[in-house]
Amino acid sequence: MTGSEASPSFRLAYVPGVTPTKWVRIWNERLPDIPLTLVAVPAADAPALLRAGGADAGFVRLPVDGTDLSAIPLYTEQTVVVIPKDHVAAAVEEVSLAELADDVVLHPLDDTLGWEALPGKPAVERPATTADAIELVAAGIGVLAVPQSLARLHHRKDLTYRPLSDAPESRIALSWPEDRTTDLVEDFIGIVRGRTVNSSRGRSTAPAEKPKAKAKRTDGRGAGRKPAAGSSTGKNPRGGSGGAKGARGAKGAAGAKRGKPRRRP
């Protein structure tokens, strides 16, 4: 740890639509003694929360303004259009922006898509939140384009959604203050990037020990012991096959080869 807190903890912010369950579970498995606290925050407020120290890191929607926040892009979401179940677009698998030309397209103040030009017809006023816009869709006031995770978050039985082609998309990233890249932040980055617990960049586990070489025994009973004189080791220091017995065997074998001397005529 870089800090001096007696009881360290980790605060993780997340914006609507992000489900951090998987990463929290891995954190609890690897760092069970360090509690992780989740901090829900509106998408527009996430960067300010991180800068103010309200969280150590957070899942945010890009772009993140300024150079003081680091960000690792994680994934891009499909944009969908939320419509009543009896809407004509519910009969198709995908909707284009051009097909929304006759619809009122709601544009909430917390919109995260960053439109250059809004499709369809503008509403009389902008809803304050995406949740408010969903209520207006259910009331038949208009339709709403949002990242798919937000359509799931605000699911209603009387509404459905379809993929919206040619629309801007929203990207999710892990972000944190660059000057506060602590050991715990590094741990969480490793989890999000899929590093294993034995990764060389991991901090919470010690590196695996190298196997120790077998030490030679020096007590006279191990591999370092010299064979005693006359012992059978397969070879005799003087060239025999094992002590005096081996020498006698060699002499006998030589005599057998010579045989008895032949008489001269």
Side-chain angles (χ1 to χ4, degrees), residues 94-105:
E94 185 176 83
V95 180
S96 67
L97 290 179
E99 291 174 307
L100 298 179
D102 295 330
D103 287 284
V104 172
V105 179

Side-chain angles (χ1 to χ4, degrees), residues 56-73:
D56 299 289
F59 292 109
V60 303
R61 291 189 182 274
L62 294 177
V64 176
D65 294 332
T67 59
D68 58 330
L69 295 179
S70 297
I72 301 174

Side-chain angles (χ1 to χ4, degrees), residues 77-122:
E77 287 196 66
Q78 169 73 57
T79 299
V80 301
V81 58
V82 181
I83 53 178
K85 281 191 172 181
D86 59 356
H87 193 281
V88 63
V92 300
E93 294 184 356
E94 185 176 83
V95 180
S96 67
L97 290 179
E99 291 174 307
L100 298 179
D102 295 330
D103 287 284
V104 172
V105 179
L106 301 168
H107 187 212
L109 295 175
D110 63 355
D111 176 75
T112 61
L113 293 176
W115 295 93
E116 292 184 3
L118 287 172
K121 298 177 181 178

Side-chain angles (χ1 to χ4, degrees), residues 57-208:
F59 292 109
V60 303
R61 291 189 182 274
L62 294 177
V64 176
D65 294 332
T67 59
D68 58 330
L69 295 179
S70 297
I72 301 174
L74 299 178
Y75 58 90
T76 301
E77 287 196 66
Q78 169 73 57
T79 299
V80 301
V81 58
V82 181
I83 53 178
K85 281 191 172 181
D86 59 356
H87 193 281
V88 63
V92 300
E93 294 184 356
E94 185 176 83
V95 180
S96 67
L97 290 179
E99 291 174 307
L100 298 179
D102 295 330
D103 287 284
V104 172
V105 179
L106 301 168
H107 187 212
L109 295 175
D110 63 355
D111 176 75
T112 61
L113 293 176
W115 295 93
E116 292 184 3
L118 287 172
K121 298 177 181 178
V124 175
E125 60 181 357
R126 298 180 64 181
T129 65
T130 297
D132 292 335
I134 291 289
E135 294 293 332
L136 294 176
V137 174
I141 303 300
V143 300
L144 174 66
V146 290
Q148 184 171 325
S149 66
L150 293 182
R152 290 174 175 172
L153 177 65
H154 299 287
H155 172 71
R156 291 174 52 120
K157 293 182 178 180
D158 54 346
L159 301 180
T160 187
Y161 60 85
R162 292 292 183 269
L164 185 60
S165 62
D166 306 322
E169 296 175 321
S170 179
R171 292 188 299 159
I172 299 296
L174 176 66
S175 183
W176 68 95
E178 187 174 357
D179 61 353
R180 296 199 297 273
T181 308
T182 64
D183 289 338
L184 292 181
V185 170
E186 287 286 2
D187 283 333
F188 195 78
I189 292 172
I191 290 172
V192 170
R193 282 183 162 172
R195 296 179 195 144
T196 64
V197 69
N198 294 322
S199 169
S200 61
R201 292 193 64 182
R203 183 188 62 82
S204 56
T205 56

Side-chain angles (χ1 to χ4, degrees), residues 223-234:
R225 181 181 178 183
K226 293 183 180 180
S231 64
S232 177
T233 61

